[in-house]
Amino acid sequence: MTLALQAPEGAALDFLVLFAVVLGGPALVERARIPGIIGLLLGGFLVGPNGLGLIGAGNETIPELGELGLLFLMFSAGVELDLALLRRSRTTAVGFGLLTFTLPFVAGIAAGAVLGFSTPAALLLGSLVASHTLLLYPTVREAGLASNRAVASAVGATVLTDTIALAVLAVVAGTETGSGSTARIVGELVAGLTVLTAVSFVVLPRAAHAVTVRLGGDGTVRFLVTLVSFLAMAALAEVFGIEGIVGAFFAGLAMNPLVPKHGQTMHRLEFAGSALFVPVFLVSTGLLLDPAVLVETETLRFAALFVVACLGGKAVAAALSIPAFRTTRAEAGLMFVLTVPQAAATLAATVVGFEIGLFGTAVVNAVLVLILVSIVVASAAAGPFVRAVEPPAVVERPLGERVALLVTSAPPPPLAAEVAARLARADSGVVDAVLVRRPDRHAAATHTGELAALAAYAARAGFDGALRLEVDRPLAAALASGARALDATAVVAHAADAFDAGVAPGDPPPGAPATVVLVTGTATTIGGVVVCSPAPDPSAPARMAQAVARALGARDPGGHRPVDGLRAGELGVVGVPGLAAARALPGPPAGAALAVVIPPAGPPGPA
């Protein structure tokens, strides 16, 4: 009997080859201390039409998946930015952002002119070498330097450089592919960018929140809502002749406050991006690599000028930050390390330029050389500069970064839940729901049912945090244990739960590493927020009460009002040193509410 065997082909083989490269490419090159991104690019070349030919030149499946990966990459660039860090260093970030964009941009245009590029091609070249990707930010963050002013400025500059680069891309691509006069095309692009900005930052967040609440808000729904969001904005951008990656980036910036960096949705996005979307895009880009073109004199000449324009411009911008922003040499080096790596926006602009006919194969290969050189140089320089900058002695974490809501039943008291949600929302944080129960071996089924009810409530409220069960301890003790277990920055509970009959009127156990907020009162919702601590009081409880009131939306956190002067619908905020003092406070008037703030008894957990 003769077996009729045939060579495998079709989607199954394409995906097998693709994910074999995704799995093995980075692992192989990282053994030689080469960044994994290079392994994906080289792997794409190896299996592509210019390598082994396992993925042929006519294949459409992998490039289309790569396009999805490109949109996701630009979305994640916007959604992962630390906007709170940007706000704290906005002046320096804007100044440095203009420097680190303008200098390479001008150098890139000059390089294009020297190489004989057309004006649109030279502008696009300038924009792509002026952008950057924060590939080495995790390295700097793990060294404890995330709160450094120079690092914050470099991170904030990313918003400006990438936004300007994508705006240049939108104009260049629109004028090259559109029909009609230049004035008409520019007018259409301006109108399109205006509509895109309005929809992204006004309509999209509200619609995403409404859909999440309507459909239940569990992890799967929240993840799919984010995917639909950036695809919708990419499609809207294309309606006006703007590249889809601009819409995806705008969607990321708009969804940033709704996707907390420590939340479950962010973890799912990071997993999907690192395991699927971004690697697929890099492999699809590697399919364009052509060694025959890479070693040509023209390609090498292009690459040399690109490297000089990019690295030279970024280096000069970092050096100018020393006199302009009074950074040290080591901090200026960190700014260079963070802003020189080329990846996301660079690859995006290059691919678009190739697709619309502004760039040829030689330019694409030269840009890939630029990406390789920029990553290797930044990686090599990171270690010395990171070691030269002293990390701050204490890293102050935002009050609402991780809020633990402790409850004894589900659903939680509405006032406590609203206070927890407001605190987290102020710092783009998450709310972890903790159910505290007394030990009862016969109540396991009740615990399970209440946990399910609490999980459903948390999903509807959009907490996006963890769910935890604390057993065998009164809630007053759980204020400290819950903070430690969840690495919380604030703990919110209803005062009646904290002062139940089984708790002695003492302070929380020593070392409770989070601000405690106890809520009481009969208000059905929070109308206004006022401070009830005496205005001239400089104590730690009074200062913490002002910080909590500011986060909750107080218009005048420096003012004060007696507790018995609260009006219906108002939430008063008062600071006390411990639970004993909290128990001694008078209750708020009917229809009002009171948030009793107890400052941390010890330093916060590790950032």
Side-chain angles (χ1 to χ4, degrees):
M1 177 184 294
T2 302
L3 295 177
L5 301 178
Q6 58 184 11
E9 60 181 14
L13 178 62
D14 291 342
F15 290 136
L16 171 62
V17 172
L18 171 65
F19 289 110
V21 172
V22 171
L23 178 64
L28 289 175
V29 299
E30 286 171 356
R31 291 187 177 184
R33 297 189 177 182
I34 298 174
I37 184 176
I38 305 302
L40 293 167
L41 291 169
L42 294 178
F45 150 71
L46 186 65
V47 301
N50 300 311
L52 299 177
L54 297 177
I55 298 177
N59 186 288
E60 296 181 357
T61 303
I62 305 304
E64 287 179 354
L65 282 176
E67 179 69 18
L68 176 61
L70 173 58
L71 294 174
F72 181 88
L73 186 64
M74 296 312 300
F75 169 75
S76 62
V79 82
E80 291 178 5
L81 284 172
D82 192 335
L83 297 184
L85 196 62
L86 172 61
R87 284 192 293 269
R88 291 197 295 270
S89 302
R90 56 183 175 272
T91 302
T92 308
V94 170
F96 179 67
L98 291 173
L99 273 178
T100 198
F101 179 86
T102 303
L103 296 178
F105 180 63
V106 172
I109 293 174
V114 169
L115 296 171
F117 286 12
S118 65
T119 299
L123 287 171
L124 188 56
L125 174 63
S127 70
L128 70 87
V129 299
S131 65
H132 62 264
T133 301
L134 295 171
L135 287 178
L136 291 176
Y137 179 68
T139 301
V140 175
R141 181 182 57 204
E142 289 166 7
L145 299 176
S147 60
N148 181 278
R149 185 172 65 96
V151 173
S153 300
V155 172
T158 304
V159 180
L160 187 62
T161 58
D162 284 3
T163 301
I164 298 175
L166 291 175
V168 172
L169 172 63
V171 173
V172 170
T175 54
E176 287 298 300
T177 58
S179 58
S181 65
T182 302
R184 178 181 176 182
I185 293 172
V186 171
E188 290 175 350
L189 289 173
V190 170
L193 287 171
T194 302
V195 172
L196 184 62
T197 300
V199 174
S200 296
F201 292 96
V202 178
V203 178
L204 178 62
R206 290 174 172 80
H209 177 71
V211 171
T212 300
V213 173
R214 179 76 174 178
L215 298 182
D218 63 14
T220 302
V221 169
R222 294 177 70 88
F223 177 74
L224 291 175
V225 165
T226 59
L227 295 188
V228 171
S229 297
F230 79 78
L231 291 173
M233 291 304 99
L236 178 62
E238 292 176 352
V239 169
F240 294 94
I242 301 171
E243 284 299 319
I245 58 175
V246 179
F249 181 68
F250 278 25
L253 291 176
M255 293 290 288
N256 189 295
L258 300 182
V259 185
K261 63 179 180 179
H262 297 291
Q264 302 299 314
T265 303
M266 181 64 82
H267 295 329
R268 290 183 175 92
L269 288 172
E270 289 174 346
F271 172 78
S274 61
L276 177 63
F277 293 116
V278 176
V280 169
F281 166 64
L282 293 171
V283 173
S284 69
T285 303
L287 299 178
L288 302 174
L289 269 173
D290 187 348
V293 176
L294 194 60
V295 296
E296 290 180 354
T297 304
E298 182 185 36
T299 302
L300 296 177
R301 187 161 58 96
F302 286 0
L305 285 175
F306 295 175
V307 169
V308 170
C310 176
L311 273 65
K314 298 290 186 182
V316 172
L320 289 176
S321 71
I322 298 175
F325 310 115
R326 297 183 180 180
T327 61
T328 66
R329 289 187 177 182
E331 288 175 333
L334 275 184
M335 297 170 89
F336 172 76
V337 163
L338 288 170
T339 57
V340 80
Q342 303 293 297
T346 306
L347 279 172
T350 304
V351 170
V352 172
F354 178 77
E355 290 175 347
I356 64 178
L358 284 178
F359 294 157
T361 307
V363 174
V364 173
N365 282 268
V367 169
L368 294 178
V369 172
L370 166 64
I371 291 171
L372 172 61
V373 171
S374 68
I375 293 173
V376 170
V377 168
S379 300
F385 286 127
V386 165
R387 290 190 294 270
V389 177
E390 285 291 329
V394 178
V395 177
E396 183 179 351
R397 299 169 61 191
L399 176 66
E401 180 182 287
R402 190 161 212 117
V403 180
L405 174 61
L406 272 64
V407 300
T408 57
S409 62
L415 271 178
E418 185 173 354
V419 167
R422 285 195 180 196
L423 285 177
R425 194 180 305 122
D427 291 308
S428 297
V430 297
V431 177
D432 297 317
V434 183
L435 179 64
V436 182
R437 304 300 295 157
R438 295 299 179 87
D440 186 349
R441 63 181 182 179
H442 301 295
T446 303
H447 294 168
T448 302
E450 286 190 308
L451 275 174
L454 186 57
Y457 180 90
R460 289 194 303 272
F463 287 168
D464 202 26
L467 191 66
R468 183 179 176 87
L469 174 66
E470 287 276 352
V471 180
D472 197 21
R473 60 178 68 249
L475 189 140
L479 293 174
S481 65
R484 293 192 190 95
L486 294 168
D487 193 25
T489 53
V491 181
V492 178
H494 197 277
D497 293 331
F499 302 147
D500 63 23
V503 181
D507 289 336
T515 299
V516 174
V517 182
L518 304 177
V519 185
T520 186
T522 56
T524 56
T525 185
I526 299 176
V529 179
V530 297
V531 177
C532 294
S533 297
D537 188 356
S539 65
R543 291 195 302 270
M544 186 57 67
Q546 291 178 349
V548 170
R550 187 178 298 108
L552 293 176
R555 294 183 178 180
D556 182 18
H560 67 284
R561 187 185 301 173
V563 173
D564 57 10
L566 291 173
R567 294 187 283 268
E570 287 185 330
L571 172 70
V573 183
V574 61
V576 297
L579 280 178
R583 289 175 65 97
L585 286 173
L594 187 66
V596 183
V597 179
I598 304 173

